[in-house]
Amino acid sequence: MKNKLVYPLIGVLFLSLSAFTFHKFYMGVFQVNYVTEKKMIQITSRIFVDDLNNGMEKKYHKKTFVGTDRETQADIDLLKKYLADNFSVKTDGQLKTITFLSKEVEAGDVLVCYSRIKDIDKFKTIEISNSVLVDWNSEQQNITHVSAFGIKKSVLFTESSRKEVLKY
């Protein structure tokens, strides 16, 4: 009788510990919009604060507190450098300068960054390189939605796919 209770309990315990473990979701969401009237590309990035700080610490060997109450100007400067090093845009093969505008924390744990590229004439191709956090975590995925000339396209960037050319 005792064995009839012990073996099922061991089985349930094993299943609960192995099959139902918590798995964190590693995703960044980027929106790239071309605004024809303003001749501008607007970029909005949404990245988990803790993942971003961990990724920057790994890359630059410096503890950062972006998006927290301990954030410093040095942290913001490093954030700008990190984004510039890991996210780029080319139109018709020409690398464009991205200007970081501002940031805010959304829902307590998501950092939203706003950037832009000015003086963009009509283009036929846009190349986006996005390696944000993929060096820190091989499970990181960055979905990037691109809107230009009334056409919306989406690209998934991963460790093995960091660059994409879209034709318009």
Side-chain angles (χ1 to χ4, degrees):
M1 180 70 171
K2 191 175 184 181
N3 286 343
K4 288 183 181 181
L5 281 173
V6 172
Y7 289 125
L9 286 174
I10 290 174
V12 169
L13 180 64
F14 175 75
L15 282 175
S16 67
L17 291 177
S18 63
F20 302 107
T21 58
F22 176 74
H23 183 263
K24 189 171 177 188
F25 190 62
Y26 298 101
M27 175 68 73
V29 179
F30 298 77
Q31 181 69 46
V32 177
N33 294 327
Y34 177 64
V35 183
T36 307
E37 314 78 63
K38 295 182 179 182
K39 292 187 174 186
M40 178 188 306
I41 293 175
Q42 299 171 333
I43 304 165
T44 304
S45 311
R46 286 180 168 77
I47 310 163
F48 285 107
V49 170
D50 57 342
D51 295 342
L52 181 62
N53 283 308
N54 288 331
M56 291 194 323
E57 182 179 355
K58 180 178 180 184
K59 182 165 184 148
Y60 301 116
H61 309 290
K62 182 180 183 323
K63 185 86 171 143
T64 59
F65 301 96
V66 171
T68 72
D69 56 354
R70 297 175 61 191
E71 177 182 273
T72 65
Q73 184 59 48
D75 293 335
I76 296 169
D77 293 342
L78 204 57
L79 168 65
K80 292 176 185 179
K81 178 176 175 28
Y82 184 81
L83 291 175
D85 289 348
N86 290 281
F87 190 92
S88 65
V89 174
K90 291 181 181 180
T91 57
D92 294 330
Q94 294 184 328
L95 183 63
K96 299 300 178 181
T97 301
I98 299 174
T99 303
F100 180 90
L101 300 173
S102 66
K103 62 165 189 55
E104 63 182 330
V105 177
E106 185 178 83
D109 63 349
V110 175
L111 187 73
V112 183
C113 299
Y114 303 98
S115 303
R116 73 173 178 215
I117 305 169
K118 292 173 59 174
D119 302 321
I120 302 292
D121 291 317
K122 189 170 181 175
F123 53 87
K124 294 180 181 174
T125 63
I126 184 168
E127 178 181 310
I128 298 175
S129 297
N130 187 340
S131 60
V132 173
L133 297 178
V134 296
D135 291 330
W136 168 69
N137 182 349
S138 62
E139 294 180 33
Q140 176 72 26
Q141 297 180 345
N142 294 318
I143 188 157
T144 303
H145 304 290
V146 182
S147 296
F149 315 112
I151 301 168
K152 296 178 182 179
K153 299 181 180 187
S154 294
V155 179
L156 182 65
F157 294 97
T158 63
E159 183 180 40
S160 61
S161 174
R162 300 176 182 212
K163 185 186 301 184
E164 186 75 29
V165 177
L166 303 172
K167 295 180 181 178
Y168 282 93

